[in-house]
């Protein structure tokens, strides 16, 4: 089975609310994680990353949290906007091969 | 800069036909990648290249071949297309192999094999 996955395939959020997208991974050897955003008809776009020696990292309106104890990763988007509507993927890099392994994705829809 | 471009954007093939997908980047990146994206499965690495003249297998290489004759181009070939190869194909490039925060993706090629 896949080693990286998202808890929910879809998420509907009211504009202005905060969004939380979850991801579980199973490979304890993973040492680097990335969140991507993919808008309809486009390729994935890097949002934010985090290394396994950190448990939190913040960017512009986004925060990634890493809980290595339960192998859980989350992406928080503050004050969700219509432009945040997209599919969000988490990805892991295993220290033994340095190749990206993607989860299935969560489709976020922002309601006006 | 155009970034990463892919041609064609769409293609329909019959089983057994062959075709080549072209990826081009104008950022002087050493590393290039081909992924396929299927519904509910995220992206999977097909082949990658660490420099001009070199290629390597990824997670799902069977049924595909690649070539990197020029640094800026990375070609993905299907010698005998099968319906299981119906997918959206993405090319990506990066300056360093592990600079995933700087891995740029193309817009994708939607391929249907009948």
């Amino acid at each position: 089975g896949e080693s990286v996955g998202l808890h929910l395939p879809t998420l509907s959020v009211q504009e202005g609310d905060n969004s939380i997208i979850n991801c579980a991974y199973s490979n304890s050897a993973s040492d680097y994680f990335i969140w991507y955003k993919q808008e309809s008809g486009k390729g994935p776009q890097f949002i934010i990353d985090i290394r396994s020696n950190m448990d939190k990292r913040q960017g512009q309106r986004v925060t990634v949290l890493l809980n290595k104890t339960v192998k859980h990763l989350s992406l928080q988007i503050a004050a969700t906007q219509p432009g945040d509507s997209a599919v969000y993927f988490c990805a892991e890099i295993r220290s033994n091969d340095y190749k990206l392994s993607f989860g299935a994705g969560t489709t976020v829809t922002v309601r006006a | 800069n155009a970034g990463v471009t892919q041609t064609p954007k769409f293609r329909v093939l019959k089983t057994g036909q062959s075709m080549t997908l072209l990826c081009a980047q104008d950022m002087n990146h050493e590393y290039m990648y081909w992924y396929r994206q299927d519904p509910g499965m995220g992206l999977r690495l097909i082949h990658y290249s660490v420099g001009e003249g070199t290629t390597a297998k990824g997670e799902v290489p069977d049924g595909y071949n690649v070539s990197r004759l020029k640094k800026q181009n990375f070609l993905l070939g299907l010698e005998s297309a099968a319906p299981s190869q119906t997918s959206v194909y993405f090319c990506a490039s990066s300056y360093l192999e592990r600079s995933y925060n700087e891995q740029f993706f193309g817009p994708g090629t939607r391929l249907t094999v009948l």
Side-chain angles (χ1 to χ4, degrees), chain A residues 44-98:
Chain A
Q45 181 181 14
F46 171 86
I47 301 174
I48 192 168
D49 57 0
I50 188 167
R51 298 203 172 272
S52 59
N53 60 352
M54 304 169 68
D55 53 19
K56 181 179 180 179
R57 190 167 188 213
Q58 288 185 294
Q60 186 176 11
R61 282 201 308 119
V62 294
T63 300
V64 56
L65 299 177
L66 176 62
N67 185 329
K68 293 180 286 294
T69 302
V70 295
K71 297 188 181 68
H72 183 267
L73 189 69
S74 69
L75 177 70
Q76 300 178 2
I77 305 174
T80 310
Q81 302 170 358
D84 294 328
S85 292
V87 180
Y88 291 82
F89 294 93
C90 63
E92 64 170 330
I93 290 89
R94 300 182 185 88
S95 57
N96 58 350
D97 60 18
Y98 302 106

Side-chain angles (χ1 to χ4, degrees), chain A residues 2 32 34 36 38 41-46 49 51 89 93 97-105, chain B residues 33 35 37 40-45 48 59 90 97-108:
Chain A
E2 290 187 335
Y32 183 46
I34 301 175
Y36 288 93
Q38 186 175 19
K42 297 182 179 180
Q45 181 181 14
F46 171 86
D49 57 0
R51 298 203 172 272
F89 294 93
I93 290 89
D97 60 18
Y98 302 106
K99 299 300 179 290
L100 280 174
S101 178
F102 285 81
Chain B
Y33 313 81
Y35 294 91
Q37 185 175 36
M41 297 190 70
L43 286 158
R44 292 182 292 171
L45 182 65
Y48 66 101
E59 182 184 354
F90 287 98
E97 182 176 15
R98 302 173 198 179
S99 62
Y100 293 105
N101 58 336
E102 296 178 351
Q103 188 176 70
F104 294 88
F105 285 84

Side-chain angles (χ1 to χ4, degrees), chain B residues 56-71:
Chain B
K57 293 181 179 179
E59 182 184 354
V60 287
D62 293 342
Y64 305 94
N65 57 75
V66 288
S67 63
R68 184 99 180 268
L69 298 179
K70 295 182 179 180
K71 185 177 183 178

